[in-house]
Amino acid sequence: MARTHILGFPRIGARRELKFAQEAFWRGETSEAALRDTGAALRRKHWLLQADAGLASVAAGDFAWYDHMLGLTALLGALPKRFGFDAAALTLPQYYELARGNTAQPAMEMTKWFDTNYHYIVPELDADSTFEGGPTWFFDEIDEALAQGLAARPVLVGPVTYLWLSKSHVAGFDRLALLPRVIAAYRRILSQLRARGIEWVQIDEPALCLDLPAPWLDAFDHAYAALADSGVKLLLATYFDTAAPHAARAAALPVHGFHIDLVRAPQQLADWLQVLPAHAVLSAGVIDGRNIWRADLRRVLDTVRPLHAALGDRLWLAPSCSLLHVPVSLDAETRLDPELKSWLAFATEKLDELHTLAVALDQGEAAVAQLLAASDAAQASRRTSRRVVNRQVQNRLAALTADMADRHSPFETRIERQRAALALPPLPTTTIGSFPQTPAIRQTRAAFKRGDIGALDYLERMRAEIEFAVRKQEALGLDVLVHGEAERNDMVEYFGEQLCGYAFTENGWVQSYGSRCVKPPVIFGDVYRPEPMTVETARYAQSLTDKPVKGMLTGPVTMLQWSFVRDDQPRSVTTRQLALAIRDEVCDLERAGIRIIQIDEPALREGLPLRRADWAAYLDWAVEAFRLAAAGVADDTQIHTHMCYAEFNDILPAIAAMDADVITIETSRSAMELLEGFGDFDYPNEIGPGVYDIHSPRVPGVDAITRLLERACEVIPPERLWVNPDCGLKTRGWPETEAALANMVSAARQLRARLAGQAPLHWKRVTPPTARPAASAPTHGAACGASCAGQAAV
Ligand code: GLN
Ligand code: ZN
């Protein structure tokens, strides 16, 4: 029988059972035993799904009470000493304190797992870190699977990836120095698995798909040489990109098999076949573990048939990566359009696809003729469906000319016209868009969605919220106002719902971090904007005040990044369609008298490919899409963009190439480092570095804001500086928001007065423009979690 397996299954449950159990436990409403029961029931259910689909083994140990990296930190016993916990005796409440913080200690840091929207807890290591083992949970889960008579294949993130993704707070500490200790811990873990009669262990080393420095590549040799006599067979799993550059090195490691991602990087197959040792298993990741489309099984069979002929039992079939990144089952979708539904496969349906492939290989395609026919039909209908193909959109795309991505005049000319038109004071003050989403606002939106209140009633209540926000901002003395985004639950969903080509699932939940899940919308067809989306709201807000009100839009790259994206055309093409839809809105806002338009792109950096060699190509089309969205307006219309919670210093040329007149950017995470980056780079346009962190209810003092602004003035010419918070204020309450903004406005006014006395303003550098050492891993910037990054995580 052709062998099939998966690298991991979503743990949260089809109905988000784990989320609700966790949160009830945190609130003290249920016992730990009840939570543990929920976890065990989900594991059992998910294992049975795998067994029923005929998988050769079931993935075990992929479960997590919060996050699998934190689980591994616990298993290794590598807890940050600052918590003072005894690793071997770690309790579940203590584990949650590591993840969420407690009264004495802030939580461990969280950041994005490679280029996914899943966030892991970053191991916090230093020279004193120990790896003497932790609680037995991982082994208990393996025992649980074995006790159910299942062929359990334990899953562990490997030692090199674990260390690479870790962070040290001690500057200059070389995390690789810990490798011998970490290896010793893995040896102990593997020997305990062997003692249970485990044959295969899956060791995930996705770091092999990054650009690793030489010593880190050598670490693979040391680590796996030391694990060679562990008595279990190791399947070294790579995913999210090609590992071909390191195929020869990997093939020489004393492991028993390799998993490669043939969805993201099909071209790597040939390289691996050349070096695959005669005894080794090749696990071919042929079903997309990152996306929700049904596979073209006929095409997959064309790839795997020759492999099966050549490798026989040494070929395993698998999804490209863990199924953690897709929702659990289509069964929960009762309202999806049937045609669209026929194109989709969530985790459970992907198990069935694997099964179909295995039977086709073993017994011939006739044995699964109906299933293959259904796959063919889905592909055919996707290719031709009127829901997908829109000639007008395609013609418009074909007719694009390069100049459409350029503003009429260069920045220097535009900014003069904008200054004349807007007549703003120096150091203008503004906010990023959203104001507190009060319970009343949420209730109104929910009532409207349920149909409890009518459209007119809803409109009136939203208008009242807008007027409230505008009056508050006027009273605070802000210079550029916003309408407050009361009508938006989520910055992607709000626009997706008004665009054609987008669909929404009922239960397509994917874990984002801990108990937080997101429900990414699905881009299934050519995207266009049937009618204006925000114009009436913006017009109304502007009608209330003489101050300029910013129009507020989500940019094309962020729309793409936070959706499930169609796989039948390049992402760049889909992004260009989104860009045109937003361009239409930008132009309509301008026509409606809106003089400043902000196009948010917080997810621009998230889309960066794993390998640097691929960055330029991505940044080219991402930047072009933004420019296309923005460039339809006259010189005196001011375009803003906003970014947050990511590393920006290494993509500054691309950010500058977006050519927004103003960028407002979060700086709390990296404090001045970011500003210095902009200064050193000589960022040409206007910039509003966030002057206070919006994550805390703490009200920043005037002095603290002033100090930050003074430092900003040293690296950015003050005449190009804006004053604003780090990000939107929707998660805050009004009292602290008002207090913080009042201080911000007062700091700006004081500095303005001081600057007025010392014309002309000079740009004084504090740091010479020397190259700083590259930021340490992880290369994919930290995030504060999807909810504050603008995505509704619930
Ligand atoms: N305009 C959005 C807001 O203020 C921006 C959110 C974000 O940057 N993620 O909420
Ligand atoms: Zn933001």
Side-chain angles (χ1 to χ4, degrees):
M1 177 78 182
R3 271 185 83 136
T4 51
H5 74 125
I6 61 167
L7 275 59
F9 199 80
R11 50 187 79 119
I12 204 83
R15 302 273 172 189
R16 291 179 291 160
E17 294 89 330
L18 188 59
K19 166 199 175 67
F20 297 120
Q22 279 166 324
E23 291 174 354
F25 176 62
W26 295 339
R27 287 193 302 267
E29 290 167 12
T30 52
S31 66
E32 181 175 329
L35 172 58
R36 287 196 180 271
D37 285 349
T38 303
L42 284 170
R43 288 193 294 268
R44 182 179 167 81
K45 190 168 169 189
H46 299 157
W47 286 330
L48 290 179
L49 285 172
Q50 296 170 53
D52 285 350
L55 267 53
S57 56
V58 300
D62 58 334
F63 180 82
W65 293 109
Y66 195 94
D67 159 51
H68 58 270
M69 281 291 278
L70 180 60
L72 178 53
T73 292
L75 173 64
L76 295 169
L79 312 185
K81 296 270 186 293
R82 61 189 176 90
F83 282 87
F85 296 155
D86 171 3
L90 186 76
T91 66
L92 198 53
Q94 287 173 335
Y95 166 96
Y96 283 130
E97 284 174 37
L98 297 170
R100 308 173 70 224
N102 59 27
T103 49
Q105 288 297 329
M108 290 174 73
E109 195 179 316
M110 177 168 75
T111 197
K112 278 183 195 270
W113 177 244
F114 297 87
D115 61 349
T116 73
N117 221 337
Y118 176 80
H119 303 69
Y120 70 94
I121 302 284
V122 182
E124 203 176 299
L125 304 177
D126 57 41
D128 297 332
S129 295
T130 52
F131 302 86
E132 298 300 322
T136 59
W137 307 343
F138 175 79
F139 300 110
D140 299 343
E141 284 167 24
I142 308 300
D143 291 340
E144 203 176 281
L146 294 173
Q148 288 166 33
L150 298 163
R153 202 221 25 259
V155 178
L156 281 169
V157 170
V160 182
T161 296
Y162 179 78
L163 271 183
W164 176 256
L165 295 180
S166 72
K167 229 174 169 173
S168 174
H169 291 305
V170 182
F173 174 67
D174 176 14
R175 298 169 341 271
L176 262 186
L178 299 172
L179 189 65
R181 274 180 251 171
V182 174
I183 292 172
Y186 275 81
R187 285 177 59 88
R188 286 193 294 271
I189 294 167
L190 295 182
S191 85
Q192 292 196 52
L193 292 175
R194 185 190 49 188
R196 287 166 163 81
I198 294 294
E199 184 189 5
W200 280 95
V201 176
Q202 172 190 322
I203 295 241
D204 289 5
E205 290 283 14
L208 215 47
C209 296
L210 300 169
D211 301 305
L212 289 184
W216 284 87
L217 286 171
D218 294 342
F220 281 100
D221 303 345
H222 302 313
Y224 288 90
L227 300 179
D229 63 354
S230 62
V232 293
K233 294 180 181 166
L234 298 181
L235 178 76
L236 191 78
T238 66
Y239 40 79
F240 299 150
D241 208 330
T242 177
H246 310 306
R249 178 190 290 263
L253 298 176
V255 297
H256 301 76
F258 306 92
H259 171 86
I260 56 174
D261 183 337
L262 293 177
V263 174
R264 273 289 178 86
Q267 74 285 1
Q268 66 177 325
L269 179 60
D271 300 88
W272 281 91
L273 288 177
Q274 265 179 21
V275 297
L276 191 73
H279 67 273
V281 159
L282 182 73
S283 164
V286 287
I287 299 288
D288 196 344
R290 288 284 295 274
N291 213 332
I292 39 78
W293 303 104
R294 188 171 185 154
D296 183 347
L297 292 179
R298 204 76 72 170
R299 243 188 44 205
V300 176
L301 277 172
D302 288 344
T303 306
V304 298
R305 215 180 287 106
L307 288 177
H308 190 236
L311 300 173
D313 286 349
R314 287 166 51 221
L315 174 72
W316 296 7
L317 298 178
S320 55
C321 59
S322 167
L323 297 174
L324 180 64
H325 311 290
V326 293
V328 176
S329 164
L330 274 173
D331 285 349
E333 300 304 321
T334 55
R335 289 205 290 261
L336 262 188
D337 167 81
E339 185 179 24
L340 176 59
K341 194 171 170 180
S342 79
W343 302 337
L344 304 181
F346 292 175
T348 309
E349 292 76 32
K350 287 178 193 286
L351 297 178
D352 297 336
E353 293 185 323
L354 284 174
H355 185 66
T356 306
L357 290 173
V359 176
L361 287 182
D362 285 336
Q363 302 168 27
E365 295 185 12
V368 282
Q370 270 189 359
L371 295 168
L372 291 178
S375 163
D376 294 343
Q379 304 310 317
S381 103
R382 260 186 92 188
R383 264 192 303 277
T384 53
S385 170
R386 298 234 313 274
R387 291 175 210 278
V388 174
V389 185
N390 182 297
R391 284 279 149 238
Q392 262 169 315
V393 175
Q394 301 203 349
N395 292 342
R396 196 172 170 206
L397 234 59
L400 282 184
T401 50
D403 60 310
M404 287 175 70
D406 294 334
R407 299 285 295 272
H408 302 292
S409 309
F411 171 74
E412 297 73 31
T413 313
R414 295 190 319 252
I415 198 71
E416 289 313 321
R417 299 196 174 143
Q418 291 163 18
R419 283 181 182 149
L422 294 166
L424 295 170
L427 303 174
T429 53
T430 190
T431 62
I432 306 304
S434 57
F435 273 115
Q437 295 244 327
T438 58
I441 291 178
R442 292 177 191 281
Q443 279 155 21
T444 303
R445 269 204 319 261
F448 178 54
K449 246 192 169 149
R450 281 195 308 269
D452 292 354
I453 59 172
L456 218 58
D457 199 3
Y458 178 70
L459 187 73
E460 259 168 28
R461 292 196 204 185
M462 286 297 133
R463 287 191 163 199
E465 294 295 344
I466 292 170
E467 174 152 22
F468 179 78
V470 167
R471 297 292 169 243
K472 283 273 190 231
Q473 295 170 84
E474 283 185 320
L476 284 161
L478 286 154
D479 301 307
V480 172
L481 312 193
V482 295
H483 77 279
E485 301 183 22
E487 78 287 7
R488 302 180 195 177
N489 163 47
D490 175 300
M491 63 188 289
V492 170
E493 187 176 86
Y494 176 76
F495 290 98
E497 280 176 343
Q498 301 186 71
L499 291 170
C500 292
Y502 259 97
F504 294 82
T505 63
E506 262 170 281
N507 286 294
W509 296 102
V510 179
Q511 188 181 10
S512 174
Y513 65 99
S515 69
R516 296 299 196 116
C517 300
V518 292
K519 194 149 64 73
V522 179
I523 305 178
F524 64 88
D526 290 335
V527 173
Y528 61 98
R529 184 197 72 144
E531 54 190 34
M533 305 182 281
T534 63
V535 174
E536 279 322 305
T537 308
R539 199 202 307 266
Y540 176 69
Q542 186 63 81
S543 76
L544 299 170
T545 176
D546 293 334
K547 297 229 171 142
V549 173
K550 275 194 280 191
M552 204 55 63
L553 305 173
T554 301
V557 182
T558 299
M559 292 291 294
L560 181 91
Q561 211 49 47
W562 291 347
S563 305
F564 280 122
V565 180
R566 55 192 289 195
D567 62 352
D568 56 351
Q569 68 184 17
R571 292 168 77 82
S572 56
V573 175
T574 305
T575 314
R576 210 173 292 149
Q577 294 182 355
L578 287 159
L580 284 176
I582 295 158
R583 180 186 177 97
D584 292 345
E585 187 72 10
V586 168
C587 293
D588 279 347
L589 282 170
E590 181 184 58
R591 262 192 288 279
I594 303 299
R595 289 166 289 166
I596 304 183
I597 299 162
Q598 178 172 313
I599 308 172
D600 290 327
E601 283 291 22
L604 182 87
R605 197 184 196 290
E606 256 173 64
L608 272 184
L610 268 62
R611 289 192 185 279
R612 253 179 204 265
D614 303 324
W615 283 19
Y618 161 75
L619 288 170
D620 271 357
W621 62 251
V623 168
E624 193 229 38
F626 179 87
R627 294 173 61 114
L628 192 57
V633 291
D635 283 346
D636 58 1
T637 295
Q638 189 165 70
I639 298 288
H640 288 213
T641 190
H642 164 72
M643 291 180 200
C644 49
Y645 308 108
E647 195 72 56
F648 293 115
N649 279 346
D650 51 0
I651 57 163
L652 283 175
I655 294 177
M658 289 164 72
D659 199 25
D661 298 306
V662 182
I663 181 168
T664 55
I665 194 155
E666 167 263 353
T667 48
S668 72
R669 242 177 35 84
S670 58
M672 290 307 281
E673 201 183 297
L674 179 97
L675 266 183
E676 283 168 13
F678 274 80
D680 290 353
F681 171 73
D682 227 341
Y683 181 75
N685 301 3
E686 302 206 337
I687 171 166
V691 294
Y692 79 88
D693 180 12
I694 53 91
H695 282 115
S696 150
R698 221 174 46 85
V699 174
V702 178
D703 286 352
I705 298 176
T706 305
R707 267 196 306 279
L708 238 150
L709 282 173
E710 283 168 349
R711 284 157 76 191
C713 284
E714 289 170 349
V715 285
I716 315 273
E719 63 272 23
R720 285 202 255 129
L721 209 54
W722 284 64
V723 181
N724 43 263
D726 262 345
C727 191
L729 297 161
K730 68 171 169 192
T731 57
R732 297 267 61 89
W734 269 109
E736 75 244 27
T737 296
E738 274 189 274
L741 291 178
N743 289 352
M744 185 183 91
V745 169
S746 131
R749 284 185 178 155
Q750 285 174 27
L751 201 60
R752 234 174 248 166
R754 276 164 50 197
L755 288 170
Q758 46 169 274
L761 301 168
H762 277 302
W763 185 356
K764 180 174 61 157
R765 270 184 193 281
V766 274
T767 42
T770 48
R772 270 188 305 279
S776 67
T779 47
H780 286 77
C784 59
S787 65
C788 46
Q791 238 174 333
V794 286

